[in-house]
Every structure is written in structure tokens, then in C-alpha cells.
Amino acid sequence: MRRYWKFLASLLLSILVVLLAGPFLIPVAPLQGTKPVAELADPDSQFIDVNGISIHYKERGAGEPTFLLLHGFGASWFTWREVMAPLAVHGRIIAYDRPAFGLTERQLPGEWSGINPYSPEAQVQLAV
């Protein structure tokens, strides 16, 4: 009887592993009918290349000090749209889309050279 339960547990564990890991092993075809970033950008959108990644950002105000607004996970510069104008009376405001969010370029593992663009170190370098 004990052998039966071990077999059943092994079988269930194997099925769970296949269900969880299987989707990562199946290649995904490129999406059809998507629009290029340039068509999605607003007229005041700006782009800059930083460490080989095209970064989308928006800027308001001028002078010193400069405020850099960083969005949280799963967000974009859009998080700051309501506060950028009021803050702009105090200086230059920059809000950007972090890599893989908003209109900033996404890079898959193996596409980048050097530091991983999603690492904490790369996020600090990008902000600087």
C-alpha cells in the first residue's frame, strides 16, 4: 500500500511539473497586427538610447532642481501625468518608462550585451 502512495505522489508531482514548466518550453510566435511604438507615442513623447535600449520619457518644466519620477511595477510614466504639471512650477520634471514597461523597449534574455537591463544595478545606472 505504501508503494502505491509513493507512486501516486510521484505521478502527481510529475504532472504538476509538466503543467508549470510546459508553457515555458513552447515557443511563442510573433504577434501579428501590432503597431510600431512611433504610432502609439504622444506628440510630446521623447525617446533616448541608454545602454542600447530605447527609453520613452516625457518632460515638463525647466531649470533646477530636476525631479526624476519613477513608476512602480506594472506601471509607466502615465502614473505621474496628473502631478507633472503642478511639479513643473518648481523645476524640471522627467518621467520615463522603465525597461519593458510603457513604450520603452523590451529585451529578451540573450538580446542584451553586458549588464542585465532588468537588474537593480542597471535600474540605478539608467536613472543616473
Side-chain angles (χ1 to χ4, degrees):
M1 187 68 154
R2 184 178 174 131
R3 194 172 179 188
Y4 169 77
W5 287 111
K6 276 187 169 182
F7 172 76
L8 186 60
S10 297
L11 180 64
L12 290 175
L13 183 62
S14 298
I15 291 171
L16 181 64
V17 167
V18 168
L19 289 174
L20 292 175
F24 294 104
L25 302 175
I26 300 169
V28 178
L31 294 174
Q32 301 297 318
T34 58
K35 293 186 176 190
V37 171
E39 285 184 34
L40 299 173
D42 295 327
D44 63 340
S45 289
Q46 298 180 57
F47 292 87
I48 186 170
D49 186 89
V50 178
N51 296 330
I53 300 174
S54 177
I55 305 294
H56 171 252
Y57 71 99
K58 297 214 178 190
E59 193 172 343
R60 303 281 187 273
E64 294 295 327
T66 297
F67 298 93
L68 184 63
L69 306 178
L70 304 174
H71 65 76
F73 185 78
S76 69
W77 80 270
F78 194 74
T79 302
W80 301 108
R81 72 192 181 284
E82 298 294 330
V83 298
M84 287 181 74
L87 283 175
V89 300
H90 302 288
R92 181 177 175 209
I93 310 300
I94 300 171
Y96 68 94
D97 294 334
R98 294 168 58 197
F101 295 98
L103 298 180
T104 289
E105 185 177 11
R106 289 135 177 83
Q107 290 190 329
L108 298 173
E111 288 183 354
W112 60 78
S113 60
I115 191 168
N116 175 346
Y118 307 112
S119 69
E121 296 82 11
Q123 294 298 313
V124 170
Q125 285 181 359
L126 177 61
V128 171

